[in-house]
């Protein structure tokens, strides 16, 4: 602080400010501290103790209360150390280990210290700060006896950067999944097409065996359905991405819709030893509702389809209950369940928990994202609960709008 200069005005040229006038001006140290605090920093000065945590702050700006939740007079070095969760040094020569960094400051190897520090306040709230400090020398002994510097609140900046990074990673993953899907698409399409073409040729050779003919027809129908599903999913997802999806208002009977879904999947479920059932608790005349018929059917088709597809044996049950002005649907299965690490991602386009060579199931990875987009377009929410080995329950809500 020895080189702080008081500038003279033009009129005073050649004449120093009188000692008297100088006395009335605030102490320069106080002035600088105020300037730092005004700029959002928290100035501090720490005298080191024998060991880490045994030092004491000789100065601590009032802003520390906002940074750490602790008042300046209660803020000790020990408390500070106990709050530190993570240290990210801002240059290669600064050790992340605090004791190492201190040794380097004392030995003179480190001329300044700069690190981002994650603090956990006594109340549990976490906050990123920037510690920018310099060694404090005792000139008479020529020794470093402490440090002084400024703490800054960088929480908001860190959060923005974190969100940007997350968005970048999501965009990268989405590109990667899309590319993998496109690479795989010819194969996904060719397999059912080849089956359809092959069995269509063979069917004419089975004129004398109606049972075999029936079997072939079923294979052809199944593959044609699958092909149609892939194409519909691709068209739907590109419409959703282009914002070109319109919501129509149809009158439908919910109980009848559930029965149709049950009819659609019962043969597949029985073939896998799955008991498929649905629960329609309201009277028919209570559930003549207004919603988008196609979208609601697609959502239920996707969820019940997944439940039947991923469950090897056991039970799949779906249904609804009326909760005030919303209808809550559920689809529960006794399948493999979904580990929590995948919970956030399975609603992303093309995402499949099992992919590549380990994959045993058909699918495009578009069913859930399409369902989510449709539920939200219709004014509801979608979520699920699932644990590996304990099955899954998918839920979604829709407004309960009854036909007059
Ligand atoms: P697809 O079924 O075509 O693979 P979805 O978007 O419908 O795509 O589902 C994404 C992924 O979520 C599936 O590949 C699967 O890994 C997981 N998943 C969805 N539903 C279930 C379920 N009921 N049980 C277990 N895993 C599921």
């Amino acid at each position: 602080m020895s080189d702080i200069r008081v500038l003279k005005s033009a009129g005073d040229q050649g004449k120093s400010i009188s000692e008297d006038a100088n006395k009335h001006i605030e102490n320069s140290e106080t002035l600088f501290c105020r300037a730092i605090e005004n700029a959002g920093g928290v100035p501090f000065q720490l005298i080191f103790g024998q060991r880490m945590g045994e030092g004491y702050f000789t100065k601590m700006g009032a802003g520390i209360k906002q940074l750490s939740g602790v008042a300046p007079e209660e803020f000790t070095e020990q408390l500070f150390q106990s709050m530190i969760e993570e240290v990210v040094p801002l240059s290669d020569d600064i050790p992340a280990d605090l004791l190492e960094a201190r040794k380097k400051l004392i030995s003179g190897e480190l001329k300044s210290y700069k690190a981002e520090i994650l603090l956990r306040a006594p109340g549990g709230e976490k906050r990123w700060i920037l510690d920018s400090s310099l060694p404090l020398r005792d000139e008479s002994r020529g020794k470093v006896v402490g440090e002084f510097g400024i703490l800054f609140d960088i929480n908001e900046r860190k959060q923005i950067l974190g969100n940007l990074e997350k968005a970048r990673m999501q965009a990268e993953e989405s590109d990667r999944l899309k590319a993998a899907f496109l690479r795989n698409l010819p194969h996904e399409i060719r397999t059912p097409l080849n089956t359809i073409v092959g069995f269509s040729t063979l069917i004419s050779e089975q004129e004398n065996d109606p049972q075999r003919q029936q079997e072939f027809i079923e294979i052809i129908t199944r593959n044609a359905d699958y092909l149609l599903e892939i194409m519909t999913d691709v068209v739907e997802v590109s419409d959703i991405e282009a914002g070109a999806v319109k919501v129509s208002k149809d009158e439908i009977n919910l109980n009848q819709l559930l029965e149709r879904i049950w009819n659609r999947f019962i043969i597949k479920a029985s073939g896998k030893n799955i008991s498929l059932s649905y629960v329609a608790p309201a009277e028919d005349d209570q559930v003549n509702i207004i919603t988008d018929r196609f979208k609601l059917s697609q959502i239920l088709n996707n969820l019940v389809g997944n439940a039947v597809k991923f469950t090897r044996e056991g039970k799949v049950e779906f249904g609804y209950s009326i909760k005030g002005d919303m209808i809550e649907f559920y689809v529960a299965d006794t399948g493999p369940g979904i580990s929590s690490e995948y919970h956030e991602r399975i609603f992303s386009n093309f995402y499949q928990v099992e992919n590549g060579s380990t994959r045993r199931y058909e699918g495009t990875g578009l069913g859930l994202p399409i369902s989510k987009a449709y539920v939200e377009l219709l004014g509801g929410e979608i979520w699920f609960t699932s644990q590996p080995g304990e099955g899954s329950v998918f839920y979604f809500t829709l407004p309960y709008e009854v036909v007059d």
Side-chain angles (χ1 to χ4, degrees):
M1 302 278 170
S2 53
D3 63 346
I4 294 166
R5 267 165 257 145
V6 181
L7 296 177
K8 298 169 192 172
S9 71
D12 290 337
Q13 222 162 20
K15 195 172 71 165
S16 64
I17 293 176
S18 79
E19 295 243 313
D20 251 13
N22 222 352
K23 268 187 208 151
H24 298 295
I25 296 173
E26 275 178 84
N27 169 305
S28 55
E29 197 177 304
T30 320
L31 276 181
F32 277 103
C33 284
R34 278 180 49 204
I36 290 166
E37 295 199 53
N38 189 42
V42 179
F44 73 93
Q45 182 176 301
L46 171 72
I47 305 295
F48 297 151
Q50 289 279 61
R51 278 183 288 266
M52 290 288 284
E54 289 181 359
Y56 57 94
F57 288 101
T58 47
K59 282 187 186 64
M60 181 51 81
I64 194 67
K65 173 88 179 140
Q66 213 190 332
L67 281 196
S68 67
V70 181
E73 53 284 3
E74 285 157 23
F75 197 82
T76 61
E77 195 202 3
Q78 196 175 24
L79 188 62
F80 184 45
Q81 300 283 331
S82 70
M83 285 180 181
I84 295 175
E85 291 247 314
E86 199 182 328
V87 177
V88 183
L90 292 188
S91 76
D92 292 344
D93 56 336
I94 301 176
D97 182 79
L98 290 172
L99 182 61
E100 288 304 309
R102 176 145 317 165
K103 280 183 187 162
K104 281 184 142 191
L105 269 182
I106 293 174
S107 69
E109 221 180 307
L110 205 58
K111 300 283 178 252
S112 77
Y113 179 82
K114 261 200 186 129
E116 294 178 346
I117 297 177
L118 179 62
L119 287 188
R120 178 200 276 269
E125 198 205 333
K126 291 188 184 181
R127 186 167 281 273
W128 279 98
I129 63 163
L130 171 70
D131 177 349
S132 171
S133 43
L134 296 164
L136 179 71
R137 292 184 175 282
D138 176 341
E139 298 292 358
S140 63
R141 289 188 289 158
K143 262 178 72 178
V144 172
V145 292
E147 61 180 318
F148 69 102
I150 309 174
L151 305 175
F152 292 99
D153 187 346
I154 54 164
N155 208 41
E156 210 173 305
R157 196 178 83 196
K158 276 294 248 194
Q159 266 167 6
I160 293 170
L161 286 176
N163 290 345
L164 280 176
E165 177 62 9
K166 202 168 156 196
R168 190 186 61 80
M169 279 165 61
Q170 275 172 354
E172 263 179 28
E173 175 165 92
S174 152
D175 280 354
R176 196 174 48 73
L177 291 171
K178 197 182 252 178
F181 172 77
L182 289 175
R183 262 198 317 277
N184 220 14
L185 192 60
H187 170 75
E188 291 277 339
I189 294 175
R190 205 178 294 132
T191 312
L193 255 184
N194 281 342
T195 314
I196 294 167
V197 173
F199 279 89
S200 308
T201 321
L202 286 176
I203 210 164
S204 55
E205 295 167 14
Q206 308 293 327
E207 269 166 8
N208 303 326
D209 191 346
Q211 203 186 331
R212 262 191 104 69
Q213 257 187 341
Q214 188 53 37
E215 263 173 42
F216 287 5
I217 290 173
E218 273 165 26
I219 294 173
I220 292 170
T221 315
R222 204 169 53 238
N223 280 276
D225 278 351
Y226 179 52
L227 203 54
L228 189 65
E229 230 167 76
I230 297 177
M231 299 322 290
T232 315
D233 277 1
V234 173
V235 172
E236 282 172 32
V237 90
S238 51
D239 281 354
I240 290 169
E241 279 191 351
V245 182
K246 297 217 163 42
V247 175
S248 68
K249 286 194 174 270
D250 309 303
E251 292 181 6
I252 66 160
N253 183 276
L254 211 50
N255 293 351
Q256 284 170 10
L257 176 65
L258 260 56
E259 191 183 349
R260 266 207 303 283
I261 302 281
W262 182 85
N263 272 321
R264 183 167 172 207
F265 290 102
I266 185 62
I267 295 178
K268 194 169 180 190
S270 312
K272 291 178 76 179
N273 242 341
I274 295 170
S275 117
L276 178 69
S277 57
Y278 70 95
V279 176
E283 296 295 330
D284 280 358
D285 58 0
Q286 276 185 289
V287 283
N288 285 321
I289 60 160
I290 297 176
T291 191
D292 186 315
R293 180 198 313 274
F294 170 76
K295 294 189 180 59
L296 177 55
S297 305
Q298 281 297 92
I299 299 164
L300 284 166
N301 270 326
N302 287 338
L303 298 183
V304 177
N306 275 349
V308 172
K309 176 166 71 175
F310 293 110
T311 304
R312 278 215 196 143
E313 54 177 4
K315 214 172 129 186
V316 171
E317 185 189 292
F318 60 102
Y320 66 85
S321 57
I322 297 168
K323 297 192 166 173
D325 54 0
M326 299 300 273
I327 309 174
E328 186 177 293
F329 294 83
Y330 69 91
V331 179
D333 66 54
T334 55
I338 302 164
S339 162
S340 55
E341 67 188 288
Y342 302 115
H343 282 202
E344 237 185 82
R345 284 188 281 175
I346 62 165
F347 286 107
S348 305
N349 284 349
F350 309 112
Y351 193 81
Q352 298 176 312
V353 173
E354 268 197 5
N355 50 29
S357 56
T358 60
R359 193 161 174 84
R360 286 170 286 153
Y361 309 98
E362 291 174 337
T364 53
L366 291 174
L368 288 181
I370 290 173
S371 303
K372 182 173 186 318
Y374 282 177
V375 167
E376 287 169 2
L377 272 168
L378 297 180
E381 279 180 276
I382 186 166
W383 70 99
F384 68 98
T385 55
S386 185
Q387 289 292 328
E390 288 180 18
S392 315
V393 190
F394 281 81
Y395 300 91
F396 66 96
T397 54
L398 291 186
Y400 177 38
E401 199 182 328
V402 201
V403 177
D404 258 346

